[in-house]
Amino acid sequence: MKLMVVGGGGREHAIIKKLKENKDIEIIYALPGNGGIAADAKCIDISATDIEGITAFAEEKGIDYAVVAPDDPLVLGCVDELEKKGIPCFGPKANAAIIEGSKVFSKNLMKKYGIPTAEYETFSDMEAALSYLETAPVPTVIKADGLALGKGVIIAMTRDEAMQAVKEMMGDHKFGKSGENIVIEEFLTGPEVSVLSFTDGKTVVPMVSSMDHKRAGDNDTGLNTGGMGTIAPNPYYTAEVAERCMKEIFLPTINAMNAEGRTFKGCLYFGLMITEKGPKVIEYNCRFGDPETQVVLPLLESDLFTIMKAVTEGTLAETEVKFSSKNACCVIMASEGYPVSYKKGFPMNIPADTAADVYVAGAKLDGDVLLTNGGRVLGVTAVEDTLRDAIASAYNKVETISFENAYYRHDIGARALKAGEAE
Ligand code: AMP
Ligand code: GLY
């Protein structure tokens, strides 16, 4: 079997490493991959958003199965184009990827089908949004409708901040077309849980839950990032919460998408907040989370490729999806200054016995020397019986890796540890 994975970050590295456990797979191409992924897949210099290039490559190489991992190609219809050429894919078609691609769409979907989420209003006119804000309760949350690299969400503590955010999105076009429409929503509080799920449009199988750490600094200070670390399972996701989520959120979402003629197949990511009134949806993603994948897939005991094919073929109900009951922790090593400005191009030293647990996000090869090439450089994952041990072991591994200007948070998992022990 010849596989192709579209994307080039830590998430894709984790997917590729897991896929490689299946011995029927002869080769995996990564488009574009990165210098670190090159140790596990053949990297091809085609951008993840070059849908024509990707499709042409897949046809030319006779690819048997494609995994489209990032949001942009999914929203752009990469799966639709590959399937037109007869190439089976893991990932939703564009008409279903809209669940992440448009927040106006996903909020309206939740309202129409009674799926619990923050109260909201949508706006396509800046003056109307500003006049609504004159009396809206604060804090409030302003969201650009479209994809904005995870930066399109502003938590405004004051009315002024909220108005400023609206002016930047709708007046100054800070996020381009993504901000032409906006959502203004109720500010919710409570612990956040990420639940990735496999779904073939009929059955939904949640994966082990996880917790992201989005802020750049220790104790959740500093700017929002793409994610500085994750742990799994998430102690706030109790059996009782899981049961409610299945009944009130997961199944209703799959059914709603079917009812809209937008059957979702692939990995549907539920970003949840456990509020006093129960679990509510903060966001949907149409793909595996990054860096959630780097803790979730190492805990998967079943064969990933078998599950992916079952999702494509609609046979998920008959397929085993088994997770270990262990704990995982992933610490992201970034370049100092991320997410604002940072230097790159520094040689990285990763000892051979750590490399198996390293998922490279931003690196390039200079001959056979691996150089840093991004804000988030890599993630290191440890799996142990307890969360406490997983955290300690992940940090031990981090200390064996070095590159100039390496930066990481020191408290990944600390909050989960406290919550877990309080129970
Ligand atoms: P999103 O890009 O939609 O995941 O939002 C980024 C982050 O903003 C989330 O992980 C939450 O921490 C926060 N957030 C989003 N919506 C809300 C809300 N309605 N209330 C409180 N926090 C929110
Ligand atoms: N970790 C959050 C995301 O993948 O969007």
Side-chain angles (χ1 to χ4, degrees):
M1 295 287 276
K2 289 186 209 155
L3 264 66
M4 170 174 99
V5 173
V6 175
R11 165 186 53 205
E12 287 76 11
H13 201 179
I15 292 172
I16 287 166
K17 281 190 172 179
K18 198 73 201 173
L19 284 171
K20 280 180 71 180
E21 291 175 9
N22 184 308
K23 297 302 165 214
D24 292 338
I25 299 173
E26 305 147 46
I27 185 161
I28 303 181
Y29 294 96
L31 283 62
N34 68 47
I37 291 177
D40 292 289
K42 189 159 173 45
C43 296
I44 305 293
D45 191 16
I46 295 178
S47 147
T49 51
D50 176 4
I51 310 297
E52 251 176 55
I54 293 168
T55 316
F57 174 82
E59 271 201 296
E60 180 200 316
K61 288 288 176 195
I63 295 294
D64 297 299
Y65 191 83
V67 178
V68 182
D71 46 0
D72 294 292
L74 288 167
V75 170
L76 288 170
C78 190
V79 167
D80 306 56
E81 293 309 312
L82 288 166
E83 285 186 350
K84 271 186 210 156
K85 305 286 182 197
I87 298 162
C89 296
F90 183 84
K93 291 188 180 177
N95 76 344
I98 191 175
I99 199 165
E100 173 170 3
S102 165
K103 292 201 195 284
V104 171
F105 170 85
S106 65
K107 294 299 289 189
N108 289 343
L109 183 86
M110 288 186 271
K111 186 186 263 180
K112 182 169 171 189
Y113 293 92
I115 297 165
T117 187
E119 296 291 329
Y120 72 100
E121 297 287 336
T122 63
F123 296 92
S124 54
D125 176 65
M126 183 168 80
E127 292 311 319
L130 292 174
S131 98
Y132 168 81
L133 280 176
E134 279 170 16
T135 55
V138 281
T140 188
V141 184
I142 319 286
K143 298 186 173 184
D145 176 42
L147 299 178
L149 297 168
K151 298 193 179 95
V153 174
I154 306 293
I155 312 284
M157 299 314 285
T158 64
R159 216 170 289 286
D160 280 352
E161 269 175 54
M163 294 204 177
Q164 180 69 23
V166 167
K167 284 179 193 155
E168 284 178 7
M169 281 183 201
M170 302 186 94
D172 307 340
H173 307 287
K174 191 171 174 186
F175 303 112
K177 270 186 151 345
S178 287
E180 278 180 4
N181 295 300
I182 63 163
V183 173
I184 301 183
E185 72 176 30
E186 177 196 7
F187 174 72
L188 299 175
T189 52
E192 288 184 55
V193 179
S194 306
V195 179
L196 284 55
S197 70
F198 291 109
T199 177
D200 59 2
K202 297 179 278 189
T203 304
V204 57
V205 181
M207 300 181 219
V208 61
S209 62
S210 53
M211 183 192 284
D212 195 0
H213 295 68
K214 286 196 170 136
R215 300 295 200 93
D218 286 356
N219 302 315
D220 292 326
T221 53
L223 293 171
N224 257 325
T225 70
M228 292 300 292
T230 38
I231 58 96
N234 185 322
Y236 292 105
Y237 193 69
T238 59
E240 185 207 345
V241 171
E243 202 185 315
R244 281 192 71 172
C245 287
M246 181 53 91
K247 216 162 66 202
E248 296 170 19
I249 295 172
F250 303 163
L251 288 171
T253 302
I254 300 303
N255 293 338
M257 290 298 277
N258 285 334
E260 294 292 312
R262 297 174 180 274
T263 296
F264 189 103
K265 284 180 162 200
C267 174
L268 181 54
Y269 167 131
F270 299 91
L272 307 168
M273 194 172 269
I274 315 302
T275 72
E276 279 182 354
K277 292 190 191 142
K280 294 194 179 188
V281 177
I282 289 283
E283 63 161 349
Y284 291 114
N285 290 327
C286 64
R287 53 173 174 85
F288 283 95
D290 190 342
E292 285 90 340
T293 305
Q294 292 90 308
V295 283
V296 169
L297 289 187
L299 292 173
L300 179 64
E301 289 179 342
S302 311
D303 179 54
L304 178 61
F305 185 46
T306 305
I307 300 169
M308 287 183 156
K309 274 191 307 184
V311 164
T312 310
E313 291 161 10
T315 54
L316 187 58
E318 297 101 71
T319 305
E320 184 195 67
V321 183
K322 193 165 172 280
F323 282 89
S324 149
S325 55
K326 292 187 175 189
N327 290 258
C329 174
C330 174
V331 177
I332 299 293
M333 298 181 75
S335 304
E336 177 85 54
Y338 171 73
V340 183
S341 67
Y342 46 83
K343 292 195 182 131
K344 49 190 192 182
F346 297 115
M348 299 156 67
N349 179 25
I350 306 174
D353 57 349
T354 315
D357 306 310
V358 169
Y359 303 109
V360 179
K364 66 173 183 195
L365 281 168
D366 180 12
D368 49 13
V369 181
L370 200 54
L371 303 177
T372 64
N373 192 35
R376 288 191 299 173
V377 175
L378 57 86
V380 193
T381 297
V383 173
E384 301 287 350
D385 286 340
T386 66
L387 178 59
R388 184 176 289 282
D389 287 349
I391 295 169
S393 165
Y395 277 106
N396 283 338
K397 291 181 202 189
V398 162
E399 273 160 31
T400 67
I401 297 173
S402 55
F403 55 89
E404 213 176 306
N405 86 340
Y407 170 78
Y408 56 91
R409 271 179 68 162
H410 298 84
D411 63 341
I412 301 303
R415 182 168 179 210
L417 202 55
K418 244 193 199 155
E421 287 174 352
E423 266 172 29

